[in-house]
Amino acid sequence: AWAMLLVPFVIGFAAGGGWGTPVFLLLGIILSFFVARYPLVLWARSRFQRFPDHGLRTLIASATHGTMLGGLLLGRYELWLMVPLGAIAAALLAVHLLLVRLRMERTEASEFLGIGTLALTAPAAFYASTGVLSPTAFVLWLLAVAYFGSSIFYVRMRRTDQEGADCLRRQQGPDPARSLVLYQAVALGGIALRSVAELVPPLAIAAFLPMTAMVVAGVFRRGGVVDVKRLGFILVGHSVLFTLLIVAIFGTVRV
């Protein structure tokens, strides 16, 4: 989740032109509200019946800090389009909390919703860096969502490999490996078509190739014990590589 939050943020301000005081303020806002989100998730898991111990203190302190920084960002730099971006994020968070309450937060649709919410840091950071909410800001959001979507299917495939056929029957769906390959093909095809239409840089697809290589290797090397911690570090490493490639690619084009 931290990678899904911060990777889009980094590619947003890097593609926009780099650091500045508004970007620092935005980072503080993002981190404050991300911390404030956690007690709400725990509350939703209890079906809104019991607020977590010390959660109210965390919620109030974090939300107050984020709101103060937000007021400074708006008042000093007049980045008023942050308001609708924040409203969209808040609405998506409300939907996520409802899904958590219904025990549906592990569905593919819910996980994509979560990725889409966290990746809003890309257009926000681009806007904070440039002062303009151009189409490039949302291209960066789309690239981040497309990239992290692979992890949903990849982790599900590895979990199925470890738990075996019983897990697949419980899921009552297609083989996760088949879904993973299909998703990766659609994602790469969509990016290729957008590059032909000059909506993304032609080399943008290169940032997805390391993950694609891992997907292909994983599909052909099924089975084995899954070390969750090791898998997490591998995915974070791929996220760092994706960030470096996207930043390098957008650094060679005029945005």
Side-chain angles (χ1 to χ4, degrees):
W2 282 101
M4 294 174 184
L5 180 78
L6 295 178
V7 165
F9 175 80
V10 172
I11 65 176
F13 79 75
W19 285 100
T21 303
V23 175
F24 277 110
L25 289 173
L26 177 64
L27 179 59
I29 295 166
I30 289 170
L31 295 178
S32 295
F33 283 108
F34 188 66
V35 171
R37 162 188 171 273
Y38 188 62
L40 295 176
V41 172
L42 295 180
W43 186 36
R45 285 177 184 168
S46 72
R47 299 183 185 273
F48 300 116
Q49 294 179 356
R50 181 177 181 274
F51 208 83
D53 295 337
H54 309 296
L56 186 60
R57 185 184 306 170
T58 299
L59 176 63
I60 293 174
S62 300
T64 300
H65 185 255
T67 301
M68 291 173 61
L69 292 178
L72 181 60
L73 182 66
L74 295 177
R76 175 66 178 82
Y77 297 98
E78 299 184 352
L79 298 176
W80 294 104
L81 291 180
M82 288 293 184
V83 175
L85 282 176
I88 292 171
L92 293 177
L93 174 60
V95 174
H96 175 70
L97 294 176
L98 177 61
L99 292 173
V100 171
R101 189 248 184 263
L102 297 174
R103 302 292 191 268
M104 296 174 61
E105 72 271 25
R106 295 300 180 185
T107 62
E108 292 173 2
S110 178
E111 290 181 334
F112 266 107
L113 177 71
I115 291 173
T117 305
L118 296 175
L120 285 172
T121 57
F126 184 89
Y127 179 43
S129 179
T130 63
V132 178
L133 198 60
S134 70
T136 300
F138 296 99
V139 167
L140 294 169
W141 174 82
L142 181 63
L143 290 174
V145 172
Y147 173 78
F148 283 112
S150 299
S151 64
I152 296 174
F153 298 99
Y154 186 82
V155 171
R156 189 157 296 183
M157 180 188 73
R158 299 295 289 133
R159 176 172 171 266
T160 302
D161 288 346
Q162 181 168 350
E163 297 188 15
D166 290 340
C167 177
L168 186 60
R169 282 195 294 269
R170 286 197 305 271
Q171 289 178 353
Q172 297 179 348
D175 183 354
R178 188 180 307 169
S179 299
L180 174 60
V181 171
L182 178 61
Y183 175 83
Q184 200 69 16
V186 170
L188 293 178
I191 293 165
L193 288 174
R194 285 174 172 80
S195 66
V196 171
E198 300 183 349
L199 297 175
V200 299
L203 290 177
I205 197 169
F208 289 77
L209 295 183
M211 174 62 83
T212 301
M214 186 178 76
V215 165
V216 172
V219 169
F220 281 100
R221 192 176 63 248
R222 304 287 302 273
V225 177
V226 178
D227 185 333
V228 176
K229 187 174 182 179
R230 180 172 177 270
L231 178 58
F233 279 121
I234 289 173
L235 291 173
V236 170
H238 275 272
S239 299
V240 172
L241 181 56
F242 171 77
T243 304
L244 295 175
L245 290 171
I246 285 292
V247 169
I249 290 164
F250 274 82
T252 64
V253 298
R254 187 176 182 86
V255 295

